[in-house]
Amino acid sequence: MLTRVHHVGIAVVDLDESIELYRAALGAELVHRARNEKDGIEAAFLRTGDGEVELMSATTPDSPVGKFLAKRGPGLHHVAYGVSDIGGALAHARAAGLDLIDSEPRMGMHGSLIAFVHPKSMGGVLTELVQT
Ligand code: CO
């Protein structure tokens, strides 16, 4: 059911600066950049070999990422796992008693169906499932 570690989400203050850091320091390639005003987020996806890193910045301080940055500072935000059947994976997670943030899959910023699982169910790590 799990296909791979799909990406790691990192909250950053300055998206352009962070993209350049990952390009220059690791040779990561920018593959997608998107802004969602409703959720107050701008994100960039960089390929790091088989997986990706998702750099996330806030477009407003009162957005979820803005609040995360104010409370915790920049750093690891979530880990995303690829799944071959997100509906089945969510049903399995629900049956296992996990606290789901998204009870149904929704469209993510990278154009794939996603769903988040609450960090309290996952050892303190916000966990994202991505349809692959
Ligand atoms: Co993500």
Side-chain angles (χ1 to χ4, degrees):
M1 189 187 316
L2 284 178
T3 58
R4 61 186 168 104
V5 173
H6 188 275
H7 66 268
V8 173
I10 298 172
V12 305
V13 173
D14 186 317
L15 191 58
D16 290 313
E17 201 173 88
S18 299
I19 291 169
E20 198 43 45
L21 171 69
Y22 276 79
R23 275 177 161 162
L26 299 178
E29 176 199 357
L30 179 65
V31 289
H32 184 57
R33 181 170 178 161
R35 191 177 168 100
N36 181 332
E37 297 295 347
K38 186 171 77 68
D39 294 332
I41 182 175
E42 184 166 10
F45 293 85
L46 294 101
R47 193 179 312 286
T48 56
D50 190 38
E52 292 183 2
V53 62
E54 174 185 9
L55 302 176
M56 319 160 67
S57 65
T59 63
T60 63
D62 60 345
S63 63
V65 175
K67 287 176 184 166
F68 179 95
L69 286 167
K71 189 174 166 194
R72 314 245 315 242
L76 180 65
H77 183 272
H78 65 273
V79 175
Y81 299 96
V83 294
S84 53
D85 168 16
I86 193 164
L90 266 186
H92 188 83
R94 188 181 291 112
L98 303 189
D99 183 356
L100 306 180
I101 293 173
D102 298 301
S103 55
E104 296 295 331
R106 62 185 172 90
M107 192 52 67
M109 296 190 75
H110 26 60
S112 309
L113 286 173
I114 64 163
F116 280 96
V117 181
H118 199 282
K120 76 181 181 197
S121 293
M122 297 298 296
V125 180
L126 177 60
T127 299
E128 180 181 1
L129 303 175
V130 183
Q131 174 74 50
T132 57

